[in-house]
Amino acid sequence: MTRQMTGAEMVVQALIDQGVEYLFGYPGGAVLPIYDEIFQQDKVQHILVRQEGGAGHAAEGYARSTGNVGVALVTSGPGATNMVTPLTDALMDSIPMVCITGQVATHLIGSDAFQEADTVGITRPCTKHNWLVKDVNDLARVLHEAFYVARSGRPGPVVVDIPKDVQFATGTYQGPAHVEHKTYRPQINGDERSIRAAVELIAKAKKPIFYTGGGVINSGPEASRLLRELVHATGFPITSTLMGLGAYPASDKQWLGMLGMHGTFEANNAMHDCDVMIAVGARFDDRITGRLDAFSPGSKKIQIDIDPSSINKNVRVDLGIVGDVGHVLADMLRIWKEGRHAADAPALKRWWSEIDRWRARKSLSYRQTSETIMPQYAIESLYKKTRGHDTYITTEVGQHQMWAAQYFGFEEPNRWMTSGGLGTMGYGLPAAIGVQTAHRDALVIDIAGDASILMNIQELSTAIQHELPVKVFILNNQYMGMVRQWQQLLHGNRLSHSYTDALPDFVKLAEAYGAVGLRVEKASDLEGGIDEMIAVKRPVLFDVRVANLANCFPMIPSGKAHNEMLLPEDATDEAIATAIDEEGKALV
């Protein structure tokens, strides 16, 4: 399709041609021409947020739960700068997002005009790519390229910055047919010889483990299915990063749970002692590796990733395979079957016996013995009550996030939305709004802390306006829980500003917004309260009063190896003292 239209019309038409159904945004002077065009059409529904950062996180939640590109629209200056956090969040967690920003007119750029900011310069470090469009005849091509770059290869966020006079100008619009970036062409298929070498290495393993990450989910549902088939074909144990939860069913007997700083005893010890590690769509983040020079010291490492820069970036691997996870897993499974490969059964049996001894430590055990609600019990109760529902979970960041990862079992991909790399407090509520927008009839729950939820509480108004019945499940311990835990364990219990005094009454706050407020303080009332929360078809703030000083274990103190985990029974003063380095700096 080629025809004449204004730049503002091009933006809306490009969204329609790209199949965009929902747009999260906040208007301002530099994007009013685009908003005027949005008003005159009904194919793209606009979701009005209450702060621009909320638009970014909502777009992230929408993208992560659907596999589609999330789209945000904000104005120039402070509108664009408020998007920096969600853009960085999306970049670190590989979330496909297109952010369209308004800019002052081209002749005013560089003059410190009202609400001017160097959006391209500011967002360059936190996007895959960005564009400042000064010619309306370039706009359509750039918009379609933006979607291509956001969704291709390792997904991520992009920014298209459009001056106001370009939005008013008239030019030629071209549709998205055959649009691709001139230089960005990610490698999809892995090298056949490398894949065959990987299969040979896997077949000879004595103590193997699959280490999987968010790249499996980003590759699509077929990649998760292929992963499950390959894991069952080999009989190997499997673990996952925080971002990879759901790619493999948590109920499966080969699943070891999450690994890393707050991972399970069995997952971390298996990673440390394995002889062959198959890293699938995972980037060896510091929260996973612990001390690099002590990370899985005796293993041969295979890494599969679509991003060439991720291979050998943090950890040297023995065999790197560049390609889309789904394509590589398909080839790997085919070669495994064609060659009639099989695992070393006696060695694998001994390996599973060793893993079972680690499992017997029951590293996620806790005691719920009184009416005081333990946070672990709250998450387990929520999980039990939501089984059978079409459930999606988002989180804020902190102890509640880790407890959710530990105690809420995910059976499918795209059901778990959390801020992994950046650790953004305030992510969960707007992300839940994005998820609920995409899945109107689903049960969408933001597992939150009393501190984190206040970061973007204004987005409850967005949920009310757009009739999005998100549920916020607040583990209220009246502290910034993870900060308090580190201060207690590593800073001599000096609780410097981690107590959240003067908290609002969350029930009254919910009612003030027009939502439903619930509160429970006793364990015997919890399940009934969860039932009530689920039954309500409106937004809910559920204030769950939990034990104030509960700590999140297991825990690998930063700078320690996987086999140096602290379990609850190990957290003595002497053990905690070993978490302090030679210079006396607390490591977390």
Side-chain angles (χ1 to χ4, degrees):
M1 179 182 69
T2 301
R3 63 187 176 94
Q4 296 295 108
M5 58 179 71
T6 66
E9 289 178 292
M10 288 182 187
V11 171
V12 174
Q13 188 61 53
L15 297 181
I16 294 170
D17 288 348
Q18 289 290 339
V20 175
E21 296 179 287
Y22 298 100
L23 172 65
F24 303 91
Y26 200 95
V31 285
L32 287 185
I34 297 173
Y35 270 88
D36 191 48
E37 293 300 327
I38 290 171
F39 185 84
Q40 299 178 63
Q41 57 82 52
D42 57 7
K43 292 183 179 179
V44 179
Q45 183 178 340
H46 182 272
I47 305 296
L48 176 66
V49 298
R50 297 306 186 263
Q51 196 257 20
E52 290 89 356
H57 293 316
E60 285 188 90
Y62 177 90
R64 186 71 174 177
S65 68
T66 62
N68 299 326
V69 177
V71 185
L73 172 63
V74 298
T75 193
S76 63
T81 57
N82 278 342
M83 283 294 298
V84 168
T85 296
L87 287 169
T88 309
D89 194 275
L91 184 70
M92 294 191 73
D93 286 346
S94 305
I95 308 300
M97 180 166 66
V98 170
C99 176
I100 298 168
T101 59
Q103 184 55 274
V104 300
T106 52
H107 69 279
L108 292 174
I109 292 175
S111 69
D112 294 332
F114 177 68
Q115 290 194 333
E116 182 192 0
D118 179 8
T119 300
V120 167
I122 291 168
T123 63
R124 185 171 289 119
C126 57
T127 54
K128 280 184 72 175
H129 196 61
N130 57 20
W131 295 262
L132 170 61
V133 183
K134 293 184 176 181
D135 185 340
V136 70
N137 290 301
D138 293 329
L139 182 56
R141 173 185 57 79
V142 167
L143 288 164
H144 296 309
E145 277 187 12
F147 279 87
Y148 170 79
V149 172
R151 66 165 67 98
S152 301
R154 178 182 175 181
V158 298
V159 165
V160 181
D161 197 31
I162 312 174
K164 192 169 184 178
D165 57 327
V166 173
Q167 297 170 42
F168 279 122
T170 299
T172 302
Y173 177 84
Q174 292 185 332
H178 308 299
V179 170
E180 58 183 31
H181 198 272
K182 292 178 181 178
T183 57
Y184 181 62
R185 298 183 182 179
Q187 182 176 327
I188 302 300
N189 295 309
D191 178 70
E192 178 91 3
R193 287 178 299 178
S194 296
I195 295 172
R196 288 188 179 278
V199 170
E200 293 293 335
L201 188 58
I202 290 168
K204 295 175 183 176
K206 308 294 183 185
K207 295 182 174 183
I209 189 168
F210 281 97
Y211 151 47
T212 59
V216 180
I217 295 172
N218 287 339
S219 183
E222 180 66 7
S224 294
R225 187 195 67 77
L226 290 165
L227 174 67
R228 297 171 193 212
E229 189 175 347
L230 182 59
V231 171
H232 286 153
T234 60
F236 293 176
I238 178 171
T239 183
S240 167
T241 66
L242 180 74
M243 295 304 297
L245 296 177
Y248 192 86
S251 61
D252 191 89
K253 63 182 181 180
Q254 290 169 246
W255 172 246
L256 303 187
M258 183 179 72
L259 80 155
M261 179 172 279
H262 292 289
T264 66
F265 190 70
E266 54 268 31
N268 282 327
N269 277 286
M271 283 284 281
H272 185 271
D273 286 4
C274 71
D275 70 340
V276 174
M277 178 192 302
I278 309 105
V280 187
R283 60 186 179 89
F284 294 95
D285 174 74
D286 66 292
R287 294 283 155 139
I288 297 302
T289 62
R291 200 174 87 225
L292 279 174
D293 63 358
F295 173 66
S296 193
S299 69
K300 296 286 187 180
K301 299 174 182 67
I302 301 165
Q303 185 179 7
I304 304 166
D305 205 293
I306 198 167
D307 181 7
S309 70
S310 289
I311 294 178
N312 291 320
K313 181 177 182 179
N314 296 324
V315 171
R316 293 292 302 177
V317 298
D318 299 276
L319 183 57
I321 302 172
V322 178
D324 175 75
V325 163
H327 286 74
V328 175
L329 286 175
D331 288 340
M332 192 173 283
L333 189 60
R334 172 180 55 81
I335 293 167
W336 180 270
K337 289 178 178 179
E338 286 176 355
R340 298 187 179 181
H341 291 283
D344 183 333
L348 193 58
K349 185 177 180 180
R350 290 192 296 272
W351 180 226
W352 273 112
S353 294
E354 194 170 350
I355 290 170
D356 287 340
R357 285 196 295 273
W358 292 323
R359 275 177 165 167
R361 291 292 298 271
K362 298 186 182 300
S363 62
L364 296 183
S365 61
Y366 65 93
R367 282 194 236 172
Q368 175 63 52
T369 57
S370 68
E371 283 285 35
T372 299
I373 302 170
M374 295 301 292
Q376 301 95 325
Y377 175 72
I379 299 296
E380 281 195 328
S381 299
L382 182 67
Y383 174 53
K384 182 172 70 174
K385 285 291 185 178
T386 55
R387 297 189 76 172
H389 291 271
D390 183 19
T391 306
Y392 294 80
I393 297 294
T394 70
T395 78
E396 307 293 335
V397 170
Q399 285 180 318
H400 62 273
Q401 177 191 31
M402 294 298 104
W403 282 317
Q406 291 173 336
Y407 295 96
F408 202 103
F410 294 93
E411 302 295 307
E412 302 173 46
N414 304 105
R415 299 297 176 128
W416 165 251
M417 277 58 62
T418 195
S419 175
L422 194 60
T424 306
M425 293 173 72
Y427 167 91
L429 177 54
I433 286 170
V435 175
Q436 192 81 77
T437 298
H439 308 277
R440 294 282 173 153
D441 298 324
L443 176 62
V444 181
I445 302 172
D446 172 28
I447 297 175
D450 51 280
S452 276
I453 190 57
L454 295 177
M455 287 279 187
N456 272 318
I457 191 66
Q458 75 283 343
E459 298 308 329
L460 192 57
S461 180
T462 303
I464 293 293
Q465 177 183 342
H466 295 283
E467 299 181 341
L468 301 168
V470 297
K471 313 293 192 279
V472 183
F473 190 77
I474 304 171
L475 298 187
N476 186 350
N477 59 13
Q478 301 179 66
Y479 282 95
M480 300 174 203
M482 193 64 82
V483 173
R484 192 270 311 151
Q485 175 171 333
W486 291 344
Q487 288 175 335
Q488 178 189 348
L489 298 181
L490 304 176
H491 293 274
N493 203 33
R494 292 180 293 276
L495 306 185
S496 178
H497 301 287
S498 56
Y499 177 68
T500 48
D501 202 359
L503 283 171
D505 181 324
F506 286 110
V507 172
K508 290 181 179 178
L509 183 61
E511 292 169 351
Y513 274 105
V516 174
L518 302 173
R519 178 181 297 118
V520 296
E521 299 183 23
K522 297 179 179 179
S524 57
D525 297 330
L526 180 60
E527 291 193 2
I530 294 172
D531 286 336
E532 185 177 356
M533 178 192 75
I534 293 171
V536 172
K537 303 305 178 186
R538 292 164 56 199
V540 176
L541 285 186
F542 188 9
D543 182 7
V544 183
R545 298 295 178 90
V546 299
N548 296 85
L549 300 177
N551 284 330
C552 186
F553 289 106
M555 177 180 176
I556 304 175
S558 188
K560 298 298 180 181
H562 281 84
N563 62 347
E564 298 177 284
M565 299 186 72
L566 287 178
L567 299 183
E569 63 269 25
D570 299 327
T572 63
D573 290 342
E574 182 179 353
I576 291 165
T578 65
I580 308 297
D581 72 2
E582 298 80 8
E583 299 175 1
K585 293 175 63 178
L587 296 170
V588 288

